Amino acid sequence: MRTETLKDVDDALEQQTSATVHHTTKTMPRWLSRLDFALGLIVSVPAAVLVLAEIVLLFSGVIARYVLHHPLIWSDELAAILFLWLAMTGAATALHRGSHMRMTALVNRMGEHWDPFWDTISLVASMLFLGLILVPSIAYIRQQWDILTPTMEINDGLRVAAIIFGVVSMLLICVVKLLAIGAKTAITGIAVSLVTVFALEHAGPVLQSLGNLNLVIFFVGVVGFTVLSGMPIAFSFGLSVFAYLSLSTSMPLEIVVSRMDEGMSQILLLAVPMFIFLGLLIEMTGMARAMINFLASLLGHVRGGLSYVLVGAMYLISGISGSKAADMAAVAPILFPEMKKRGENPGELVALLSATGAQTETVPPSIVLITIGSVTGVSISALFTGGLLPGLVLAFMLCLLVWWRARKFEPTSSTGAAWSLVGKAFVISIPALALPVVIRMAVVEGVATATEVSTVGIAYAVVAGLLVYRCFSWKRIGPMLVETAALSGAILVIIGTATAMAWALTQSGFSHGLANFMQHLPGGAFTFMVVSIFMFIILGSVLEGIPAIVLFGPLLFPIARAVGIHEVQYAMVVILSMGLGLFSPPFGVGYYGACAVSKISPNLGIRPIMGYMTALFIGIAVIAAVPWISTGFLKS
């Protein structure tokens, strides 16, 4: 197997970063290229500084509370303020680098000569969303201006100003990109977009008379078209919400901004950038190479060996951060480089990563389990106990599919490594293998919260890289911080716009109508369970786990009890069904999060993910049919 020196890796990363950052400048006039470069610095430098500031702030909170026994009562508050700025500057950085999640499979089939046209449509639609959100954002800042934070007494408008900065920056970046496209193509794309907007605007009175049929028009039709036309997923979700509210309701549009703020500002999500940076750090310090060498010595001669490792790794670390995106960010950067070297298809990798994200939704300590217990009254300890075996059942189903798909391919080595080499690789990898143990123990022992624990891992990785593996490059820290901010921003802005979409669905009365329909289904427990599975798969792709649970849990769990379904079993089926929807393209937000974390195009995973989702669906059906899987270990 080919090995790379640290210098080779450094150079490759710098070349990749440079190529990514300046990919839009190659065909630009000189003055436009300079403007593009300046915009890149304006958004990426603050984003990198904010990532570093959050790391230092959270780790200082751990030291102050656990070591010095003098907690920083203001640290969480400041971290929350900086977090929204990180999300928005990161989103702008991702747009400048072209790293927002897009679905371009359909557009690519039309031929290269159509690319400029669809790029223009995507840019104009993105600018339309950004333009629509700008005025409500100003109104939202005015609403928040008189609100002071409880501890530091900082004006909340300063935090919300991040939205204005991000929106204006992204608008300017879109304008630069549009100017770089040929005039004829740009004019054509703008004209088509304006005609579409004009037609929808004049259809407003008709749309307002359609009631909840507008949910299909905007959240299926508009989202489906914009996603498949190559528009960034986050902007597609946001545009559909704005179109729905402005054309078919009389609700104030600043509500969309407040919902986006709520979705992006959940302090638990701060684990996402922290774990993304930890994953990059593990790779840079040589810890990833040590772990992979040991795992390869054990399973390198087995067909699909590292795929089994991926399934097991996601099961073991799931729930540490409370965020699936953070869990994936902790695993993918470690395993994927080596798996690619071994000839694995990138589409297969991101498909399996998405599937493992759905598979581990019930593994405690899961924030979804805690939420479902809180809103339905089901014992959280019972949910924790009942969630372990369903995750293993789905892991078994995925491993069966991995075995089936890998049977045609020869492993890298036909014979296993000598036990002396396995032992040597194990000794070398001990400091790296101890990292997940350190992270989990830090949470269990109360050293750090789920949000802070990644910084404990970062500190551990820095020490291990400097003193143990002696593989640490200071010049890579800057590009890694920028990369972290861009990936985080791309993920967080999707979560923000998806939260706004979930709120719009709630306000439409759709949830109560659906619960009423479920209550009057014929066929008893069997029909109710079957319909629940399909319903929550669909809801999971639109609402994500927690909003759907909060919305439908209190309504549907009493019905499940009434028809004789054990509440813990129903919880497992509901959570896993939502996970299946959450990680299923084209609407599942989790799938695009997996693509962002692994830096693999969404197009590549569409075909292979269908098999993994089918395996998960069969596993969910087994869990629904066999109550013991969820309830067998509960105390009677």
Side-chain angles (χ1 to χ4, degrees), residues 25 27 43 65 80 102 203 211 218 252 333 339 346 398 416 444 450 464 477 480 517 525 534 566 598 611:
T25 67
T27 59
V43 295
R65 183 181 62 253
R102 301 172 61 200
F218 290 100
M339 295 176 79
L398 292 178
V444 172
I477 297 298
M480 286 164 56
F517 166 75
F534 285 99
H566 196 287
S598 56

Side-chain angles (χ1 to χ4, degrees), residues 16 65 99 112 116 197 204 227 272 317 424 476 486 582 611:
Q16 179 184 1
R65 183 181 62 253
S99 55
E112 293 184 0
V197 172
V227 166
V272 173
I317 76 159
K424 181 179 179 180
R476 287 186 59 183
L582 178 64

Side-chain angles (χ1 to χ4, degrees), residues 275-351:
F275 271 100
I276 289 175
F277 185 77
L278 176 59
L280 295 173
L281 191 62
I282 290 171
E283 184 182 9
M284 185 262 280
T285 56
M287 296 175 69
R289 187 180 298 113
M291 286 188 281
I292 295 300
N293 287 341
F294 169 61
L295 295 172
S297 68
L298 284 177
L299 296 170
H301 63 289
V302 177
R303 291 183 176 92
L306 292 184
S307 295
Y308 299 128
V309 173
L310 174 60
V311 175
M314 280 295 290
Y315 185 89
L316 290 174
I317 76 159
S318 182
I320 289 177
S321 68
S323 166
K324 282 298 156 199
D327 292 341
M328 293 186 294
V331 172
I334 300 173
L335 286 175
F336 278 18
E338 182 65 23
M339 295 176 79
K340 289 178 182 177
K341 289 180 184 178
R342 291 169 175 263
E344 293 283 355
N345 183 343
E348 288 279 351
L349 297 183
V350 75

